Amino acid sequence: MTKKIVRSRLLITRVIDRLRVEEVAGGALLIDNGLVASIGALSELSRDHPDAEIIGSGNEVVLPGFVNAHHHIGLTPVQLGSPDMPLELWFVTRMVMRNVDLYLDTLYSAFEMIASGVTTVQHLHSWVPGTPVEAVNKCDQVIQAYDDIGMRVSYAYATRDQNRLVYDSDEAFIARLPEKLRGPMRSWFARFQLSLEDSLALFRDLHDRHNAKERTRIQLAPANLHWCSDKALEMLTETSRSFHVPMHMHLVETAYQKAYAQHRGGCTALEYIDRFGMLGPDLTLGHGVWLTESDIERVAETGTCICHNCSSNLRLRSGVAALSAFEAAGIETALGMDEAGINDDRDMLQEMRLALRIHRVPGLDPSDVPTVPQVLRMATQGGARTTPYGDQIGSLEVGKAADLILIDWDAIAFPYLDASTTTLDAVVQRAKSDTVKTVICAGEIVYRDGAFTRVDRTAALQALHDELSSALSDEEVQRRELSQALLPHVAAFYRDYIAPDSFEPFYRPSSRV
């Protein structure tokens, strides 16, 4: 691989703490064999490596590549006919979504992520219908898309073996339905043919075939407490340890999930999974909106990570996570865009701004609200910690992966920006996707000046459009009819499930603890 020298107006290498970053004014960075080989002055690096390709004009801000630490699909649910609703009802509306080519679908969201500076994604693949053989094929399509576009991925097929639509067994839910819906509901469940053992065999197969790749890692994802039996929790924990891979688990995303844990175990969801030895640096909790004060203390004590999914929490009425409490406890926190951000896209710069601002509770104490460096850390070092790549990514240091982005300073500062505004503040507060000029992953330029270097975006999107321009299949029509018929019955189930006073005002995040 040709050596490259990346020059900058300002090189931001890492976050030191919630108030400080490490930066080098006018700094340059040497890339050799996909790694950061040296950091210093442009004149010195150019002298020592005269044949190196020079990247950038010198008027860009260079940052570590962002990590989207929680992601599921390509085309958004809204694009596929599933509107924003409370999470538990939204699961039902997800049944209406079109059958999509997973390779093209994955490319769609990868285009958006890379264009906003994301170089690594934690792809949590939700369950897919079909046999184990068909599931392997679909997983491979997703991984191949990331291989082709040049993006770094940590891939996990979410494991679930119970309660596949509501927070009760499949048969118990079917028994609640009118007779005319029971057969269609059984047929819908029958589409998903992977057993717990099949899911773990799928993990082992993917790990054997893909984990040694430079930009691909395979890990585990217990889907959520309500979706995993005790046997699944035991087997996933054992597999994580034997393969030395991390796990990413949705937990207490909503008040209903908090109530489910009490119904199931007479304790919090965190206390329940702690019985299985799951907590620790190898576990990331997705969402964690309804963690209690003692839960947060236990998360911090065990070194467990949390992935904050700000847009998703708002869109699906889940609540506002206690981010400042996580920070005060010293919990490593990442940032994820989940299905899609607040604008129904995958713009990490925008997600950072939302996380920065939604937690600005009333008061004067600056320690009560997120800071710009803190949010940058969540999008870089924090996200890195939740993946198998660990310390290889997330910061720009000698010996680490050369995953970085170049942001056009003029596009941020023109026509005027006061000199007292720090460069990092300006980037996080003002940068948009169209200010991202170059994205480098593993030392390779994968995006430059609005174009992807490996994949033809126009052709891929046209192919996706053409495929979805066809009429709905009979099976898709039947799923839409079933979804509409089920919605009132699912709503009735949850009206009986939790007391109204279990919900707290979303604008008081401190009340979560």
Side-chain angles (χ1 to χ4, degrees), residues 350-372:
Q350 180 172 258
E351 192 71 15
M352 292 164 66
R353 277 191 289 279
L354 183 63
L356 178 68
R357 290 170 174 152
I358 197 67
H359 300 282
R360 296 182 68 79
V361 295
L364 301 177
D365 188 346
S367 66
D368 287 343
V369 297
T371 65
V372 168

Side-chain angles (χ1 to χ4, degrees), residues 96 98 470-477 480:
V96 311
R98 298 291 305 273
S470 61
L472 296 174
S473 67
D474 290 343
E475 181 265 338
E476 288 173 322
V477 171
R480 293 187 174 216

Side-chain angles (χ1 to χ4, degrees), residues 131-142:
T131 65
V133 172
E134 290 170 325
V136 168
N137 178 261
K138 291 172 182 176
C139 295
D140 282 342
Q141 289 177 42
V142 172

Side-chain angles (χ1 to χ4, degrees), residues 371-504:
T371 65
V372 168
Q374 176 188 340
V375 170
L376 176 63
R377 188 193 70 223
M378 291 168 64
T380 54
Q381 291 151 251
R385 274 275 289 106
T386 71
T387 74
Y389 299 104
D391 291 338
Q392 292 176 262
I393 62 173
S395 62
L396 298 176
E397 302 175 62
V398 173
K400 290 192 174 185
D403 293 4
L404 56 137
I405 59 177
L406 284 73
I407 294 179
D408 182 7
W409 176 249
D410 284 344
I412 295 172
F414 184 82
Y416 178 75
L417 185 69
D418 194 273
S420 64
T421 301
T422 70
T423 300
L424 181 58
D425 276 4
V427 168
V428 173
Q429 303 268 15
R430 293 183 51 78
K432 300 176 178 63
S433 286
D434 61 5
T435 68
V436 176
K437 305 305 292 182
T438 306
V439 177
I440 297 174
C441 187
E444 178 187 358
I445 297 173
V446 295
Y447 179 79
R448 178 158 50 189
D449 296 328
F452 295 86
T453 61
R454 284 181 165 213
V455 177
D456 185 333
R457 179 180 181 272
T458 300
L461 296 189
Q462 186 62 52
L464 190 57
H465 167 79
D466 293 346
E467 180 194 15
L468 292 172
S469 295
S470 61
L472 296 174
S473 67
D474 290 343
E475 181 265 338
E476 288 173 322
V477 171
Q478 291 167 4
R479 281 193 285 109
R480 293 187 174 216
E481 293 173 348
L482 179 60
S483 173
Q484 292 174 359
L486 286 174
L487 202 56
H489 300 285
V490 173
F493 172 86
Y494 286 109
R495 277 196 294 270
D496 298 337
Y497 196 78
I498 187 170
D501 60 5
S502 297
F503 297 101
E504 299 175 16

